[in-house]
Amino acid sequence: MPSLSKGANTPVDAAAVRAELSWAAAAGAPDIDASALLLTAAGTVRDDSDFVFYNQPGHPSGAVRHLGKRGTRDALEVQLGRLEGAVDRVVFAASTDDGTFGQVDDLRLRLVDAGSGAEVADFAMSATTETAFVGGELYRRGGGWKFRAVGQGYAAGLAGLAGDFGISVAEEAPAPAPAAPAPPAPPAAPPRPATPPRMTKGEEKLPVDMRKRLSLRKQQVAVSLEKRGAAGIRARVVLVLDASGSMTTLYSRGAVGRVVERMAAVAAQLDDDGEMQAWTFASRPARLPDLTLGELPGWIRLHVRVGAMFKQRRLEPGQLDMKTVGIQNEEQKVIAEVRRYVTAEPTPEPTLVLFFSDGGVYRNSEIEEQLRAAATEPIFWQFVGLGRAGFGVLERFDTLPGRTVDNVGFFAVDDIERVPDAELYDRLLSEFPSWATAARSAGILR
């Protein structure tokens, strides 16, 4: 089985699998513990028994067991047939109490058939300051199971990781000093970031239901950034939407419009001007009108359109005739156009490009040339694969050497509408903060 890149997935046909976490022994390297979380379709555990780790080594159903650590290897076993119907995913995680994952060499997650010992998947991971890590996950798809390589780190350790999935991890606290009786505590509030989301320009113009969704999503974006030690980070956000012929179904059923609404929350939290630049592309790129937050409903209606295979009605003023972009995949052209825009319109903040494609990538050498050249520019390219089509060089960029900094992130989802906001924002923002730190050290950012 070839190694998986971050975001890639593979079918799992085995009745039982073993997740083996391993790392290289080295002086000063921290000790690592593996764990598993059984999640519902909502992305949370049902109760604390759905967390399997060294202090709770077996799930009550018998479906998941912690097999124990041997040297620099820790393992868990999952009996897929015994997983209850409410369990939609099994997440394989790791944590350390005496260092960071950046101190660990050759961090790797292997999935093997527990019966035959045959390798199902192999995922090599890299990290920096994280103290907890999600290596991969098993998830239901079409009556069977698949495995996805995740590679997402947390700066808040096991407590932060577990809390993200609905588990409270008790921590030891010093004995309190004698004090006068405290007044009654106020009612408990839901978790929230240390800094509440700011009201963004134009937000007050939105319909009430959309404004409420935006506020909750901005808060979730802030939480995702805080977990990576990046609270308060600012960026210009650019949206790029694939409009090739194969995207027609996603556009026609409204899925792309809903993605745009979710991405507006990222732009609103990272950039307070209430605007986001946007491009669409297929055979040729085309710049869309800037997305102004207060005009979000109308912008989606007017500008989230399908490609040339869609028979358009009469164009309204300001609309782009999507027939001009064609139907094929030419990612390198829109990448070059966004690069030219960033150079011509510099800002003090970095640029985060949120790039959505349903695959069919075939201009691999041209795309690689563009993204390698962009490695010295103040741009981080976060690609999101929609569906199961081939994503070519985008899947391999994390492992390609010879760049000043790693300026590309990639992950793929089978159905983005089934991914909860918390998970989507965690994955979108998993590499941007560490890139910003590396780019600043390299002199790319001020």
Side-chain angles (χ1 to χ4, degrees):
M1 174 72 194
S3 296
L4 294 183
S5 58
K6 186 173 180 178
N9 59 65
T10 188
V12 177
D13 296 325
V17 293
R18 203 165 54 246
E20 299 178 348
L21 182 74
S22 64
W23 59 99
D31 194 28
I32 294 174
D33 295 296
S35 56
L37 299 105
L38 287 70
L39 307 181
T40 66
T44 60
V45 299
R46 294 163 295 180
D47 54 51
D48 286 1
S49 69
D50 282 343
F51 186 31
V52 177
F53 66 118
Y54 56 87
N55 271 350
Q56 188 167 267
H59 190 263
S61 67
V64 182
R65 293 188 300 137
H66 181 243
L67 301 179
K69 188 185 304 181
R70 293 185 178 181
T72 57
R73 185 180 299 270
D74 204 357
L76 299 120
E77 184 173 283
V78 180
Q79 301 282 338
L80 296 172
R82 299 181 69 173
L83 287 168
E84 298 146 300
V87 176
D88 188 66
R89 289 189 289 151
V90 178
V91 169
F92 299 117
S95 60
T96 178
D97 293 327
D98 54 355
T100 69
F101 279 93
Q103 298 170 267
V104 177
D105 292 328
D106 196 23
L107 182 64
R108 185 175 298 274
L109 180 64
R110 292 177 68 244
L111 195 72
V112 301
D113 186 321
S116 68
E119 185 174 88
V120 177
D122 179 33
F123 177 38
M125 298 170 280
S126 60
T128 53
T129 61
E130 298 91 341
T131 52
F133 220 79
V134 171
E137 62 183 10
L138 293 165
Y139 62 101
R140 294 186 189 270
R141 184 64 72 229
W145 289 89
K146 298 182 77 173
F147 173 79
R148 178 186 291 118
V150 177
Q152 175 185 314
Y154 292 74
L158 181 63
L161 181 150
D164 199 38
F165 295 114
I167 295 174
S168 298
V169 177
E171 297 183 354
E172 293 184 2
R192 64 181 61 194
T195 304
R198 312 174 313 281
M199 177 69 80
T200 309
K201 180 181 177 182
E203 191 172 337
E204 73 285 352
K205 299 178 182 179
L206 294 174
V208 173
D209 58 339
M210 185 174 280
R211 188 164 68 243
K212 288 179 179 178
R213 290 195 300 270
L214 179 71
S215 179
L216 291 171
R217 286 168 172 162
K218 283 169 58 182
Q219 183 165 324
Q220 186 58 60
V221 171
V223 169
S224 294
L225 290 168
E226 284 192 5
K227 287 190 293 190
R228 287 154 186 81
I233 192 171
R234 295 287 175 259
R236 170 172 56 189
V237 179
V238 170
L239 180 67
V240 179
L241 299 172
D242 185 349
S244 59
S246 58
M247 287 282 293
T248 301
T249 300
L250 289 175
Y251 279 97
S252 61
R253 77 182 195 208
V256 178
R258 288 184 285 274
V259 164
V260 171
E261 184 181 341
R262 295 168 87 180
M263 295 308 101
V266 179
Q269 183 62 25
L270 290 175
D271 188 350
D272 59 7
D273 69 358
E275 294 185 358
M276 179 167 58
Q277 288 68 49
W279 271 260
T280 188
F281 78 96
S283 305
R284 293 166 293 279
R287 185 170 175 185
L288 297 170
D290 289 356
L291 193 164
T292 302
L293 190 62
E295 299 174 357
L296 178 59
W299 193 95
I300 291 174
R301 181 182 65 83
L302 290 174
H303 303 302
V304 177
R305 310 291 294 277
V306 300
M309 295 179 69
F310 181 75
K311 186 176 181 180
Q312 290 182 242
R313 301 178 181 88
R314 185 177 59 186
L315 292 175
E316 297 188 37
Q319 274 188 312
L320 174 71
D321 185 347
M322 291 298 290
K323 288 182 287 187
T324 64
V325 305
I327 62 172
Q328 293 182 322
N329 289 81
E330 298 282 352
E331 289 84 359
Q332 78 283 0
K333 295 179 181 178
V334 71
I335 292 171
E337 191 161 306
V338 172
R339 290 179 61 205
R340 287 192 291 270
Y341 166 78
V342 172
T343 299
E345 301 286 343
T347 65
E349 297 81 22
T351 297
L352 170 62
V353 178
L354 304 176
F355 196 118
F356 290 83
S357 169
D358 73 338
V361 174
Y362 71 102
R363 297 289 195 184
N364 289 300
S365 59
E366 294 95 331
I367 294 169
E368 180 176 341
E369 181 181 0
Q370 285 290 333
L371 293 176
R372 280 190 182 278
T376 57
E377 298 169 350
I379 314 172
F380 184 77
W381 303 82
Q382 179 60 63
F383 291 88
V384 182
L386 305 175
R388 309 174 188 179
F391 296 101
V393 70
L394 301 180
E395 297 185 81
R396 305 192 298 270
F397 235 88
D398 272 349
T399 63
L400 291 178
R403 290 171 291 153
T404 306
V405 293
D406 182 0
N407 60 329
V408 177
F410 172 84
F411 67 90
V413 293
D414 287 347
D415 183 354
I416 196 166
E417 303 230 75
R418 294 189 61 189
V419 180
D421 285 339
E423 179 184 346
L424 180 62
Y425 295 138
D426 275 351
R427 298 180 74 177
L428 275 173
L429 300 168
S430 66
E431 296 186 58
F432 173 62
S434 58
W435 166 83
T437 300
R440 196 164 286 111
S441 297
I444 296 170
L445 300 180
R446 294 191 293 273

